[in-house]
Amino acid sequence: MRGTERRARLLAALELGEIDVDDLARRFGVSASTVRRDLQHLSDTKAVRRTYGGAILAGGSPETTLDQRLAIDGAEKQAIARAALALIADGETLILDAGSTVTAFGRLLVNRRLRIITNNLALLPCLARAPEIDLIVLGGGLRATSMSTVGPLAVEALRWLTADRMVTSADGVVAGRGLCEASLDQVALKSAMMAQAQATIVLATASKLGRAEQMSWAPLPPRWTLVTDAAVSREQRQALIDVGAHIVTAEA
């Protein structure tokens, strides 16, 4: 395979979220040093940005708004939200992150008896009226694209709080890397949320698995739960199980 063809295929692989040098080397039947040279060439032409262990497409993908995300894979997100309800017991304290799938999940909690800590402003209109929800809202700077709060004030507030479970989503979920997001503020807050909860639940459609289109990463704890849809492949499932995930598959 010529270098130009190989580099074109590398770019195609990066569009699917494949970023690890060793994995790319095995896929294309070349040495890791050859892949590194190809990635450096692509970096020199501004096509990719190098990262630890690999690369991402330059600039990442443009981030969509919450309303746009709610309209994507709507049936799958509702199924995931319903499946996640079975993991929650009345009387628990939950930390709810921002995101369209978490928003779909949170809207199903209005008749439950729970304490909820959240930065998800989109959930406030329904949860504030729920009679048996004890609601704590994290302050901070407004992130309008996700209708959420982020920043040091939100992280600091979490130091005083603990929870049974933290429920989150992400732009991408990659085995061995964690949760992919567009900003460091997001991953700093996610990491703080996970640290203050006894268990972490990630809600993500199968289309998010393996995606690495953004530049910021929040590592996952050694044991965590993924709730995804039936489109998850056998390879994706095994890769995530190998890094500590317990997988719940939602049926539409």
Side-chain angles (χ1 to χ4, degrees), residues 43 176 189 244:
S43 177
L189 186 55

Side-chain angles (χ1 to χ4, degrees), residues 206 209 228-240 247:
L209 306 181
T228 189
D229 61 76
V232 58
S233 70
R234 182 180 302 175
E235 293 77 13
Q236 289 170 330
R237 178 187 295 273
Q238 190 58 55
L240 292 163
I247 299 180

Side-chain angles (χ1 to χ4, degrees), residues 82-252:
R82 291 192 298 270
L85 280 179
L87 305 177
I88 306 302
D90 279 349
E92 289 188 335
T93 296
L94 308 181
I95 299 175
L96 300 187
D97 194 12
S100 57
T101 314
V102 177
T103 298
F105 169 75
R107 288 171 177 170
L108 300 179
L109 299 176
V110 292
N111 295 317
R112 302 293 294 271
R113 180 173 55 84
L114 299 163
R115 171 172 289 172
I116 293 178
I117 303 162
T118 188
N119 69 325
N120 190 327
L121 303 182
L123 284 174
L124 300 191
C126 64
L127 294 183
R129 295 193 297 268
E132 293 195 271
I133 297 290
D134 180 8
L135 186 61
I136 299 173
V137 182
L138 297 174
L142 173 65
R143 194 168 192 279
T145 53
S146 59
M147 285 304 296
S148 63
T149 58
V150 294
L153 290 176
V155 173
E156 178 64 20
L158 280 167
R159 292 181 56 230
W160 303 90
L161 301 165
T162 58
D164 297 292
R165 305 179 199 279
M166 181 266 201
V167 182
T168 187
S169 58
D171 282 354
V173 183
V174 178
R177 294 295 301 274
L179 305 180
C180 178
E181 290 290 5
S183 75
L184 290 173
D185 275 344
Q186 286 175 285
V187 299
L189 186 55
K190 285 179 189 290
S191 295
M193 288 175 167
M194 287 187 276
Q196 297 305 101
Q198 293 183 30
T200 294
I201 301 172
V202 178
L203 311 183
T205 60
S207 63
K208 298 288 187 70
L209 306 181
R211 283 178 58 178
E213 298 177 356
Q214 307 295 355
M215 64 174 289
S216 304
W217 293 87
L220 285 155
R223 296 288 180 267
W224 53 287
T225 297
L226 170 68
V227 187
T228 189
D229 61 76
V232 58
S233 70
R234 182 180 302 175
E235 293 77 13
Q236 289 170 330
R237 178 187 295 273
Q238 190 58 55
L240 292 163
I241 289 172
D242 288 344
V243 296
H246 168 68
I247 299 180
V248 175
T249 304
E251 298 296 336

Side-chain angles (χ1 to χ4, degrees), residues 52-73:
Y52 178 78
I56 60 174
L57 293 178
S61 297
E63 189 179 12
T64 54
T65 66
L66 177 62
D67 286 341
Q68 289 171 324
R69 293 195 295 274
L70 285 168
I72 299 170
D73 295 332

